[in-house]
Amino acid sequence: MDDEKPSREILKKFIDNIPSLKLVAECYNAIQVIEITSKESIDIIFLDIEMPDMTGVELLKILHNKPLVVFTTAYDKYALTGYDLGVIDYLLKPFSFERFVIAVQKCFYNLKSDRLIKSDSGELPYLLIKVDKDIKRFDINSIYYLKSFGNYTKLFLQNREILCSEPLSKIEIKVSDHNFIRVHRSYIISKSKITNILSNAVCLDNYSVPLGNRYKLNL
């Protein structure tokens, strides 16, 4: 989605140069995006931020059936916001085709990981996460919380910790539909594991996770 026609034309050209991408719709405002995503199965949205009526950030917060999102913007001030919202990548205009391909590859990796292990019922009881150079499978119900370590994420299970070779923002996309919630810039927890909520922390059995002020109301 982009309200500037030249930017949309560049995106269309880039998309046409990748055979595995199919352009489903071209939108120039938020209402069009909401209508399309309610009718079509969309995997990826390339989303501008500075838009009339409703910004890309505001749209992303209310959008149902949320696809993978790549921000495309001329402003770098939204990078942290994109991180908090779990966007896959952040393309700063003007971006090259090479940089666009990198963003698309990140999306494909997430889509492949999510679809490999869907059960017949459509649920996703397991999570595929990169550990070192391997892809490991984890039972979602065994995960208490996740902690960011730069470009890595530490997974906290009942009796062990696993260092994963993926950033928290990428894993957040995978767990977003499975009763997980961000409670701090660096922490995402399983709501089913909560045993107590304090003024500045959340207890998960024997674990205690810090609770950031900006996330209290949402929790």
Side-chain angles (χ1 to χ4, degrees), residues 29-70:
N29 62 45
I31 299 302
Q32 289 182 320
V33 174
I34 293 171
E35 291 178 350
I36 290 294
T37 55
S38 67
K39 299 175 183 177
E40 302 280 350
S41 178
I42 307 296
D43 290 324
I44 305 169
I45 290 182
F46 296 97
L47 182 63
D48 192 12
I49 297 178
E50 295 282 343
M51 302 284 295
D53 299 326
M54 183 184 297
T55 68
V57 171
E58 292 169 337
L59 170 63
L60 192 52
K61 289 179 179 178
I62 67 169
L63 193 63
H64 295 292
N65 303 320
K66 192 179 299 180
L68 301 182
V69 174
V70 175

Side-chain angles (χ1 to χ4, degrees), residues 57-125:
V57 171
E58 292 169 337
L59 170 63
L60 192 52
K61 289 179 179 178
I62 67 169
L63 193 63
H64 295 292
N65 303 320
K66 192 179 299 180
L68 301 182
V69 174
V70 175
F71 273 158
T72 60
T73 178
Y75 306 93
D76 58 5
K77 63 182 179 180
Y78 296 103
L80 180 58
T81 301
Y83 175 87
D84 288 339
L85 292 172
V87 301
I88 296 299
D89 208 345
Y90 192 99
L91 297 178
L92 194 60
K93 298 177 183 177
F95 49 85
S96 66
F97 178 65
E98 180 181 7
R99 184 63 184 84
F100 176 79
V101 169
I102 292 173
V104 170
Q105 288 176 329
K106 291 181 181 180
C107 292
F108 285 170
Y109 175 83
N110 277 268
L111 290 170
K112 182 178 180 181
S113 296
D114 286 347
R115 289 170 177 172
L116 275 175
I117 50 175
K118 283 188 177 179
S119 65
D120 291 339
S121 64
E123 297 175 348
L124 188 65

Side-chain angles (χ1 to χ4, degrees), residues 5-198:
K5 187 173 181 179
S7 295
R8 296 200 306 272
E9 291 298 326
I10 291 173
L11 272 175
K12 286 170 62 178
K13 179 181 177 181
F14 285 176
I15 290 170
D16 288 342
N17 286 333
I18 300 180
S20 48
L21 282 182
K22 177 185 177 183
L23 182 62
V24 176
E26 177 184 346
C27 304
Y28 55 85
N29 62 45
I31 299 302
Q32 289 182 320
V33 174
I34 293 171
E35 291 178 350
I36 290 294
T37 55
S38 67
K39 299 175 183 177
E40 302 280 350
S41 178
I42 307 296
D43 290 324
I44 305 169
I45 290 182
F46 296 97
L47 182 63
D48 192 12
I49 297 178
E50 295 282 343
M51 302 284 295
D53 299 326
M54 183 184 297
T55 68
V57 171
E58 292 169 337
L59 170 63
L60 192 52
K61 289 179 179 178
I62 67 169
L63 193 63
H64 295 292
N65 303 320
K66 192 179 299 180
L68 301 182
V69 174
V70 175
F71 273 158
T72 60
T73 178
Y75 306 93
D76 58 5
K77 63 182 179 180
Y78 296 103
L80 180 58
T81 301
Y83 175 87
D84 288 339
L85 292 172
V87 301
I88 296 299
D89 208 345
Y90 192 99
L91 297 178
L92 194 60
K93 298 177 183 177
F95 49 85
S96 66
F97 178 65
E98 180 181 7
R99 184 63 184 84
F100 176 79
V101 169
I102 292 173
V104 170
Q105 288 176 329
K106 291 181 181 180
C107 292
F108 285 170
Y109 175 83
N110 277 268
L111 290 170
K112 182 178 180 181
S113 296
D114 286 347
R115 289 170 177 172
L116 275 175
I117 50 175
K118 283 188 177 179
S119 65
D120 291 339
S121 64
E123 297 175 348
L124 188 65
Y126 297 101
L127 196 64
L128 289 179
I129 302 179
K130 188 176 182 181
V131 179
D132 293 328
K133 295 183 179 180
D134 300 323
I135 302 296
K136 301 291 186 181
R137 190 176 77 166
F138 298 94
D139 183 347
I140 283 182
N141 293 324
S142 70
I143 301 172
Y144 279 72
Y145 70 96
L146 306 101
K147 180 180 180 181
S148 174
F149 279 83
N151 288 327
Y152 295 83
T153 299
K154 185 169 285 189
L155 215 65
F156 288 82
L157 309 178
Q158 186 170 16
N159 297 310
R160 60 183 177 137
E161 303 171 8
I162 305 291
L163 185 63
C164 305
S165 307
E166 298 183 32
L168 185 64
S169 57
K170 179 177 287 188
I171 298 179
E172 183 176 23
I173 297 292
K174 301 179 183 182
V175 301
S176 60
D177 293 330
H178 299 282
N179 215 29
F180 283 76
I181 187 171
R182 187 182 284 269
V183 295
H184 185 278
R185 180 179 174 183
S186 300
Y187 292 86
I188 295 174
I189 67 171
S190 170
K191 289 191 286 187
S192 65
K193 299 293 193 297
I194 296 175
T195 54
N196 197 12
I197 300 176
L198 307 177

